[in-house]
Amino acid sequence: MPAVSKGDGMRGLAVFISDIRNCKSKEAEIKRINKELANIRSKFKGDKALDGYSKKKYVCKLLFIFLLGHDIDFGHMEAVNLLSSNKYTEKQIGYLFISVLVNSNSELIRLINNAIKNDLSSRNPTFMCLALHCIANVGSREMAEAFAGEIPRILVAGDTMDSVKQSAALCLLRLYKTSPDLVLMGEWTSRVVHLLNDQHMGVVTAAISLITCLSQKNPDEFKTCVSLAVSRLSRIVSSASTDLQDYTYYFVPAPWLSCKLLRLLQCYPPPEDGAVKGRLVECLETILNKAQEPPKSKKVQHSNAKNAILFEAISLIIHYDSEPNLLVRACNQLGQFLQHRETNLRYLALESMCTLASSEFSHEAVKTHIETVINALKTERDVSVRQRAADLLYAMCDRSNAKQIVAEMLSYLETADYSIREEMVLKVAILAEKYAVDYSWYVDTILNLIRIAGDYVSEEVWYRVIQIVINRDDVQGYAAKTVFEALQAPACHENMVKVGGYILGEFGNLIAGDPRSSPLVQFNLLHSKFHLCSVPTRALLLSAYIKFINLFPETKSTIQEVLRSDSQIRNSDVELQQRAVEYLKLSSIASTDVLATVLEEMPPFPERESSILAKLKKKKGPGAVSVNELEEGKREGGELNGGGERGGDSSSTPSPSADLLGLRAGPPVTAAAPSAGSLLVDVFSEAVKQPSPTAFLRLFVCKNNGVLFENQLLQIGIKSEYRQNLGRMYLFYGNKTSVQFVTFTTTVTCPGELQSHILHIHTWNSLEPLIEGGAQVQQVINIECLTDFSDAPLLNIKFRYGGALQNLTLKLPVTINKFFQPTEMASHDFFQRWKQLSLPQQEAQKIFKANHAMDTEVLKAKLLGLGMALLENVDPNPENFVCAGVIQTKAQQVGSLLRLEPNAQAQMYRLTVRSSKDTVSKRLCELLAEQF
Amino acid sequence: MQFMLLFSRQGKLRLQKWYVPLSDKEKKKITRELVQTVLARKPKMCSFLEWRDLKIVYKRYASLYFCCAIEDQDNELITLEIIHRYVELLDKYFGSVCELDIIFNFEKAYFILDEFLLGGEAQETSKKNVLKAIEQADLLQEDAKEAETPRSVLEEIGLT
């Protein structure tokens, strides 16, 4: 144990800490802690009033125990008592405890706020700072309510001490981040901006963080900060290294402040005032020049501080994207860093160059560094640096270097770190497609991908290669040949079998002339893999076999033999069994003509944006997507592409060729045969034409994907996913003409009170204002359901087509049922809950005439599409349907139960909905009554 | 900055400072994951890594790792120097600081941090000014101590 503890020693605390450190085992530690907790508890409860010192010591011990990772459920009151002590040291420990262990117990918050209020008005700067630190550390809404009005006053008052101003500025920033609605700058705005001119560098350093945050949200009100920031920056940049005394850090003048100034400027476009702009460009040039000067110190701190400013300046240059000269200089500077001996600099240079690659002014300059970057990918010892190199290669790729980059990335994949393989695979797949001039190269690349990193090839990737092969007849023979060769390998990845099965099933005839790949050889090759594959792949292979029977009648008996074997026709998996039975039957009873029609070659897919790109974007999406969500996204990737696209075709014979990729083991009820075009689940493949822009809402109640709107010029497809109270909607705008759409803009609004019920945020890909003829662009909207709602958000689209302004307003199909979570429950529970929701206003009922055929399977599919759980064996009458689900809104969860009673004779339905909220019952009833 | 963690080579957390509201459970989870990730990295590797949607900046000083989580648009290098300046402050205050100083005077480590960073942003970057504030506070403590009544013998040897 060290002999000294600084300041006032609390010997009891030090002894306790030593004891804990001397514990040989976790058990001993817990024992010691429990003993101490019991001791403290008895002291706090004891009759004898504790003096301030003891109270402080015990509170400090509790804090220590908490920081070790144990729960603390008492002592808060004692800590609050310390706040009103007039001894600084006791007050300080009290505040520390509150800051670390804040408890939203309202009684205590009131007491804490009282103590803070006293300290804030004490006019003792040390006490005021303590109180402000506490507010900044806790940052709760209650504190914002109590102090957001007072702090701006303290911040700008003429007689406030500098140190208090500093704390007040950052305290306000924290409150603004948690409760922006409560922090109103209003009259203070200009005085806060002028803190940038303050003489005290510490005050400027603290205030600028606040100003930056406020500027991001209200750029117009704060725009006067630009010229102030430029002149401040200019003074720092041109000052000698010793001018700023203690604000000089290892010979670099005010590095933190410089970075923050450059960061603030990134909230704004380049200054309009010529003089200000000139001064700023001069600063940026000086910063770039200084990078070339010999270092003033060998210490890494010197170069880090200097380069921190340099990188921030480069970010600003990239942000402006308007000064070709500076952009190229920035690129050259980063180029030097690419070969620097400091790993940190190499990492940052790669990262920063990625953004430079997307600027038209510097794209070519970035490309000149390709060899260095490839070398980095091969030789860097740190995976995070290699990751940056891979990102940069992706960003700098264009038609001129695609083959080289793809080849390098492929060879890197063989040894790549597991954590980045999936992303690498997506990137290779995208580049290969985007820059493919000859499609045999594309096919080779994707098959190589599967060979090298099959486990990381997601469904989107192999769906896409099939889609492209089907659409391009010039590559089909090559694809068949290559995949046939690839399948020769004794161990080949299951994804290869999938692609092989599909491609040979469609185009095996193109290579059947060669005796080495005769139909039977092809079949035997595929079938040799069959037993090693999972159920979905086997199902796909069975479909390939029936196609073989059509393509090559000579294989019929062999294949029928296989289908007839017990392991197929009596397979315990329903899907496999059903396919075997149906295909066997189809092959034996259908005439050649019928067979040929049913198993006709797949029609080409409509062109549209690659689903892989969407997946990568999703993976790299910004913001609050946590790792967990990404992983979930990965798992659900398949569903995204496959779910919900079942057509309404209720013919009772499933069409085998169409069902090829409908492999998802959904319950048979939902697996009504999809229309042939939906193989790859093209959001545009459904030939549903919208009768009128507003009538579509009805069509999307029970499904998430489809065509939202279509006219002569424009087609809008929609794809959406919902989880909990959040949704993400992908809108695809397709230009059906051969002429550009210009000034293409879209706005989403929530009319009236809907604004407070739904929150939508546009995200990453803000639309380009231009859509080329025949092209498609994608937009993503994030939706958050705050509370239940009945109206729908409006989507307004404006663009010019051949000079004429087109203006279109549609309702977005966001309905309350999208936020359903299905709830499974037993019959008993269902009726119990049903009874609990017995208030008259909780129930909504409608009796209406059937608009569609009363087909049980269709009804089930629709109810499932609604998002609730369809409960079997609950209603005593098997004709009736009952469902249960919970609507997830941010404000609350609304449990809902539903019962639908069809009356086939009368062709009528009775629909009853009960939920814990009356508006929800009513809305659900309205929505659903139009569905049947 | 979203949070700062100090932990030892053995993975023991020595100081934690959170600038965003998170539940205790989340904090523990993040700490566990991050300590593991950082400790698994070899020396000479770069000081930055992507983690979830944050950037992690870390540096090792003797037996202690200092680890900060910053947001996408934040500057990695300047964060590295934030860490260094904090180490300098501790060093100056304790006089060649070691892990034990931080264990036994954890409250001081928090006070110094609060003077330097507030709400995740640099409040005062001048070493002199930060230490002045802390020393002033210590002086207040000294005054207060003199006024206190002498403590019992039992207390002095740490038995209560």
Side-chain angles (χ1 to χ4, degrees):
Chain A
M1 183 183 123
V4 281
S5 66
K6 283 281 281 201
D8 67 323
M10 282 180 279
R11 199 171 156 77
L13 176 67
V15 169
F16 174 59
I17 295 176
S18 310
D19 279 2
I20 296 289
R21 286 178 52 75
N22 289 334
C23 287
K24 294 278 183 290
S25 65
K26 194 82 200 159
E27 290 71 32
E29 182 185 310
I30 290 173
K31 211 173 140 198
R32 179 68 185 90
I33 285 169
N34 285 337
K35 186 178 148 205
E36 193 62 40
L37 286 175
N39 174 36
I40 299 173
R41 220 185 280 267
S42 74
K43 295 283 181 200
F44 283 168
K45 277 195 190 145
D47 307 329
K48 215 171 63 184
L50 289 175
D51 61 17
Y53 170 80
S54 312
K55 225 181 265 175
K56 176 183 80 170
K57 183 182 64 185
Y58 294 130
V59 164
C60 217
K61 281 183 179 176
L62 287 179
L63 195 51
F64 180 77
I65 294 171
F66 176 78
L67 291 170
L68 281 178
H70 302 269
D71 294 333
I72 294 296
D73 53 6
F74 69 102
H76 301 78
M77 204 41 164
E78 285 73 13
V80 173
N81 287 339
L82 287 176
L83 296 185
S84 35
S85 163
N86 52 9
K87 288 190 187 130
Y88 179 80
T89 140
E90 288 164 17
K91 193 186 273 291
Q92 198 184 20
I93 294 291
Y95 272 125
L96 180 61
F97 186 93
I98 302 296
S99 300
V100 175
L101 267 127
V102 68
N103 189 316
S104 54
N105 181 321
S106 62
E107 196 56 27
L108 278 181
I109 282 288
R110 217 168 39 80
L111 292 171
I112 296 168
N113 280 356
N114 261 337
I116 292 177
K117 201 166 282 169
N118 288 335
D119 283 335
L120 281 185
S121 52
S122 69
R123 312 196 62 79
N124 172 339
T126 337
F127 286 5
M128 287 174 87
C129 280
L130 269 188
L132 289 168
H133 290 179
C134 180
I135 302 174
N137 282 325
V138 176
S140 69
R141 197 162 172 89
E142 291 90 344
M143 288 194 175
E145 277 162 2
F147 304 111
E150 175 65 15
I151 298 172
R153 214 185 309 273
I154 298 177
L155 175 60
V156 299
D159 56 349
T160 306
M161 300 267 295
D162 290 330
S163 60
V164 178
K165 276 190 192 169
Q166 287 165 275
S167 299
L170 293 173
C171 186
L172 204 53
L173 171 62
R174 175 70 195 263
L175 293 184
Y176 184 76
K177 280 182 182 166
T178 34
S179 318
D181 53 318
L182 295 177
V183 178
L184 305 167
M185 295 314 291
E187 46 178 322
W188 311 116
T189 304
S190 115
R191 293 172 72 181
V192 169
V193 170
H194 275 89
L195 290 173
L196 288 177
N197 268 342
D198 201 285
Q199 292 196 323
H200 191 283
M201 293 281 272
V203 172
V204 188
T205 307
I208 193 170
S209 298
L210 173 67
I211 295 168
T212 304
C213 183
L214 291 168
S215 299
Q216 279 165 341
K217 299 283 159 53
N218 328 283
D220 284 343
E221 287 160 47
F222 283 83
K223 64 173 178 242
T224 47
C225 70
V226 173
S227 60
L228 293 180
V230 170
S231 56
R232 190 96 213 190
L233 180 68
S234 157
R235 268 179 281 155
I236 297 174
V237 169
S238 58
S239 65
S241 53
T242 49
D243 284 358
L244 302 174
Q245 292 155 5
D246 211 35
Y247 289 91
T248 295
Y249 179 82
Y250 291 87
F251 303 101
V252 182
W256 285 281
L257 182 51
S258 305
C259 285
K260 285 186 180 193
L261 285 164
L262 288 161
R263 174 87 197 86
L264 170 61
L265 291 170
Q266 287 169 61
C267 304
Y268 290 92
E272 281 158 17
D273 181 328
V276 177
K277 188 168 179 196
R279 208 163 169 198
L280 178 56
V281 169
E282 218 171 274
C283 286
L284 295 172
E285 280 170 346
T286 312
I287 294 172
L288 285 168
N289 292 341
K290 280 191 180 173
Q292 299 300 327
E293 289 170 10
K296 294 195 175 69
S297 153
K298 284 210 170 73
K299 288 258 167 64
V300 69
Q301 283 76 27
H302 170 73
S303 71
N304 278 352
K306 195 165 119 178
N307 291 327
I309 300 172
L310 179 61
F311 275 105
E312 207 58 65
I314 291 176
S315 296
L316 182 62
I317 292 170
I318 296 172
H319 167 77
Y320 287 161
D321 198 13
S322 61
E323 301 283 328
N325 173 38
L326 288 177
L327 280 162
V328 171
R329 279 193 69 185
C331 186
N332 292 340
Q333 182 59 55
L334 295 177
Q336 285 182 18
F337 285 154
L338 285 182
Q339 314 212 38
H340 202 280
R341 62 190 163 77
E342 277 274 330
T343 315
N344 288 344
L345 285 181
R346 296 198 302 276
Y347 177 96
L348 294 175
L350 289 165
E351 187 184 44
S352 193
M353 249 194 196
C354 250
T355 37
L356 267 182
S358 55
S359 162
E360 54 170 323
F361 299 116
S362 49
H363 182 78
E364 288 302 315
V366 170
K367 272 170 64 186
T368 59
H369 299 286
I370 184 166
E371 296 303 334
T372 319
V373 183
I374 287 173
N375 198 39
L377 187 65
K378 285 179 177 159
T379 58
E380 282 289 351
R381 272 185 283 172
D382 184 345
V383 57
S384 36
V385 186
R386 292 198 298 271
Q387 170 79 60
R388 292 283 81 83
D391 285 350
L392 178 53
L393 282 179
Y394 179 75
M396 67 161 72
C397 191
D398 62 21
R399 209 167 285 285
S400 73
N401 55 20
K403 281 201 175 175
Q404 186 188 7
I405 286 179
V406 165
E408 291 296 347
M409 285 171 103
L410 269 178
S411 76
Y412 173 60
L413 250 181
E414 307 215 23
T415 53
D417 206 76
Y418 293 108
S419 57
I420 63 171
R421 282 196 186 182
E422 187 181 356
E423 199 185 314
M424 290 286 296
V425 166
L426 287 173
K427 287 184 165 164
V428 171
I430 290 165
L431 293 179
E433 179 184 334
K434 199 164 163 193
Y435 299 115
V437 191
D438 84 74
Y439 279 86
S440 53
W441 173 72
Y442 169 75
V443 170
D444 283 342
T445 304
I446 301 295
L447 293 187
N448 263 329
L449 262 188
I450 298 177
R451 208 178 352 240
I452 295 168
D455 281 346
Y456 301 89
V457 172
S458 56
E459 290 187 323
E460 286 85 350
V461 174
W462 72 265
Y463 285 0
R464 189 70 183 158
V465 68
I466 286 174
Q467 192 181 13
I468 286 176
V469 168
I470 287 186
N471 283 13
R472 312 209 48 111
D473 6 358
D474 50 338
V475 77
Q476 289 160 356
Y478 181 79
K481 181 168 156 285
T482 323
V483 79
F484 176 79
E485 281 161 9
L487 286 172
Q488 306 284 341
C492 63
H493 195 273
E494 188 161 333
N495 279 333
M496 189 69 88
V497 180
K498 287 181 184 162
V499 176
Y502 200 99
I503 293 208
L504 293 180
E506 291 288 322
F507 309 113
N509 55 327
L510 301 176
I511 56 167
D514 188 326
R516 285 167 301 177
S517 52
S518 70
L520 263 179
V521 174
Q522 286 183 41
F523 170 74
N524 287 330
L525 181 61
L526 281 179
H527 198 54
S528 69
K529 315 284 183 196
F530 188 92
H531 303 279
L532 299 170
C533 290
S534 64
V535 169
T537 308
R538 290 188 193 190
L540 184 148
L541 285 176
L542 289 179
S543 298
Y545 297 169
I546 184 76
K547 292 183 193 172
F548 267 54
I549 294 184
N550 174 46
L551 288 177
F552 317 115
E554 67 265 38
T555 60
K556 183 168 171 178
S557 59
T558 319
I559 292 176
Q560 281 183 334
E561 198 63 37
V562 169
L563 293 174
R564 205 177 286 123
S565 72
D566 276 358
S567 62
Q568 306 299 350
I569 212 159
R570 293 187 201 286
N571 194 296
S572 59
D573 184 90
V574 198
E575 178 69 29
L576 292 181
Q577 191 189 93
Q578 187 176 355
R579 285 191 190 214
V581 172
E582 286 177 2
Y583 294 162
L584 185 60
K585 215 62 187 163
L586 183 67
S587 68
S588 38
I589 58 173
S591 69
T592 346
D593 288 352
V594 171
L595 200 63
T597 314
V598 173
L599 299 170
E600 206 178 341
E601 194 176 298
M602 297 300 291
F605 293 92
E607 291 296 337
R608 46 121 200 249
E609 194 197 14
S610 158
S611 54
I612 319 176
L613 201 56
K615 168 138 183 165
L616 183 72
K617 283 181 191 160
K618 196 175 158 213
K619 260 186 87 72
K620 292 298 264 184
V625 189
S626 76
V627 175
N628 285 340
E629 278 170 289
L630 280 181
E631 276 164 6
E632 271 168 48
K634 236 181 271 169
R635 261 181 274 123
E636 287 174 9
E639 288 301 322
L640 255 183
N641 246 282
E645 272 303 310
R646 316 296 186 179
D649 178 3
S650 57
S651 70
S652 53
T653 327
S655 148
S657 65
D659 195 25
L660 256 190
L661 290 180
L663 304 170
R664 231 141 268 101
V669 283
T670 55
S675 58
S678 72
L679 169 70
L680 285 176
V681 191
D682 187 340
V683 291
F684 289 161
S685 66
E686 250 175 320
V688 185
K689 294 283 185 294
Q690 302 308 311
S692 86
T694 45
F696 71 84
L697 204 60
R698 192 164 53 83
L699 296 170
F700 284 89
V701 169
C702 294
K703 62 174 190 172
N704 289 333
N705 306 331
V707 174
L708 177 61
F709 173 81
E710 180 156 23
N711 64 13
Q712 299 297 313
L713 308 176
L714 176 72
Q715 187 193 47
I716 305 174
I718 196 163
K719 216 164 127 179
S720 39
E721 343 151 21
Y722 295 88
R723 187 179 304 143
Q724 306 283 359
N725 70 322
L726 302 177
R728 180 172 288 182
M729 190 174 268
Y730 299 78
L731 291 166
F732 302 83
Y733 301 97
N735 180 345
K736 290 171 67 179
T737 71
S738 52
V739 183
Q740 291 183 335
F741 292 163
V742 291
T743 58
F744 191 91
T745 54
T746 64
T747 31
V748 178
T749 49
C750 293
E753 64 170 356
L754 188 59
Q755 188 62 56
S756 55
H757 293 220
I758 299 185
L759 192 81
H760 73 85
I761 317 135
H762 281 258
T763 45
W764 16 277
N765 52 344
S766 50
L767 280 175
E768 292 288 335
L770 196 99
I771 307 182
E772 295 292 341
Q776 192 190 77
V777 296
Q778 187 188 343
Q779 181 184 29
V780 182
I781 296 170
N782 284 345
I783 302 154
E784 182 178 12
C785 175
L786 300 175
T787 171
D788 70 292
F789 60 94
S790 38
D791 222 341
L794 296 176
L795 170 69
N796 178 262
I797 300 154
K798 286 200 187 89
F799 61 92
R800 284 185 182 276
Y801 167 73
L805 180 70
Q806 309 286 327
N807 189 347
L808 185 72
T809 301
L810 303 168
K811 284 195 173 184
L812 281 178
V814 183
T815 45
I816 187 65
N817 63 295
K818 300 295 179 196
F819 302 95
F820 256 129
Q821 293 268 103
T823 316
E824 291 292 344
M825 58 178 81
S827 170
H828 170 76
D829 295 332
F830 181 87
F831 286 108
Q832 197 181 354
R833 286 179 205 203
W834 184 265
K835 282 191 201 111
Q836 279 165 2
L837 298 170
S838 57
L839 294 175
Q841 65 270 28
Q842 289 177 325
E843 181 180 283
Q845 193 173 66
K846 261 201 169 135
I847 298 171
F848 52 94
K849 206 155 177 51
N851 285 319
H852 305 278
M854 295 174 90
D855 183 307
T856 312
E857 297 310 307
V858 174
L859 285 177
K860 281 187 180 172
K862 283 192 177 168
L863 288 168
L864 283 171
L866 186 71
M868 302 176 84
L870 185 58
L871 305 176
E872 305 280 359
N873 307 322
V874 169
D875 199 296
N877 179 351
E879 299 299 316
N880 294 344
F881 301 94
V882 293
C883 303
V886 179
I887 290 179
Q888 308 279 342
T889 76
K890 192 176 180 211
Q892 66 191 128
Q893 302 193 330
V894 185
S896 307
L897 303 172
L898 170 155
R899 187 182 201 199
L900 180 69
E901 299 158 273
N903 181 335
Q905 274 176 333
Q907 288 287 303
M908 298 283 280
Y909 292 102
R910 180 163 70 184
L911 172 69
T912 318
V913 180
R914 286 188 177 183
S915 29
S916 51
K917 206 166 170 194
D918 51 353
T919 45
V920 171
S921 306
K922 202 165 137 271
R923 182 63 186 152
L924 282 175
C925 208
E926 284 166 11
L927 285 171
L928 219 58
E930 302 170 338
Q931 295 298 314
F932 304 106
Chain B
M1 189 185 296
Q2 297 215 341
F3 56 85
M4 183 193 259
L5 303 176
L6 258 68
F7 50 88
S8 70
R9 224 167 20 162
Q10 291 76 32
K12 284 231 191 270
L13 193 59
R14 296 302 180 202
L15 183 140
Q16 46 178 320
K17 192 76 191 180
W18 304 85
Y19 297 112
V20 285
L22 291 169
S23 70
D24 284 346
K25 210 174 131 203
E26 282 169 294
K27 289 178 186 171
K28 281 188 182 162
K29 186 162 175 261
I30 291 174
T31 308
R32 208 168 39 237
E33 265 181 51
L34 215 50
V35 168
Q36 221 170 27
T37 312
V38 171
L39 288 179
R41 291 175 63 84
K42 297 190 188 70
K44 297 257 162 117
M45 277 188 164
C46 92
S47 312
F48 319 125
L49 53 127
E50 278 186 335
W51 184 79
R52 298 196 184 178
D53 53 345
L54 297 173
K55 299 197 282 198
I56 303 297
V57 177
Y58 74 94
K59 187 160 180 179
R60 183 177 155 181
Y61 288 86
S63 60
L64 270 187
Y65 285 85
F66 291 69
C67 175
C68 297
I70 56 175
E71 280 150 72
D72 193 43
Q73 69 276 33
D74 291 338
N75 188 313
E76 289 99 336
L77 283 175
I78 208 72
T79 309
L80 209 48
E81 294 319 299
I82 290 244
I83 292 177
H84 188 74
R85 169 99 321 165
Y86 182 47
V87 174
E88 284 184 350
L89 288 166
L90 293 172
D91 200 59
K92 188 94 186 177
Y93 180 77
F94 288 108
S96 149
V97 67
C98 68
E99 192 182 340
L100 282 180
D101 291 320
I102 295 174
I103 296 173
F104 280 93
N105 302 285
F106 68 95
E107 77 284 9
K108 294 288 179 211
Y110 277 98
F111 298 147
I112 296 173
L113 189 57
D114 271 356
E115 290 294 336
F116 174 42
L117 295 180
L118 193 59
E121 298 283 336
Q123 174 177 217
E124 177 53 85
T125 60
S126 150
K127 195 154 67 175
K128 225 162 45 194
N129 290 352
V130 172
L131 289 171
K132 208 165 68 194
I134 293 289
E135 272 153 20
Q136 261 169 8
D138 279 347
L139 277 179
L140 284 173
Q141 301 192 162
E142 299 295 332
D143 297 348
K145 218 161 72 175
E146 278 164 26
E148 269 174 36
T149 48
R151 279 167 244 141
S152 74
V153 181
L154 277 181
E155 157 65 24
E156 278 306 314
I157 55 169
L159 289 180
T160 59

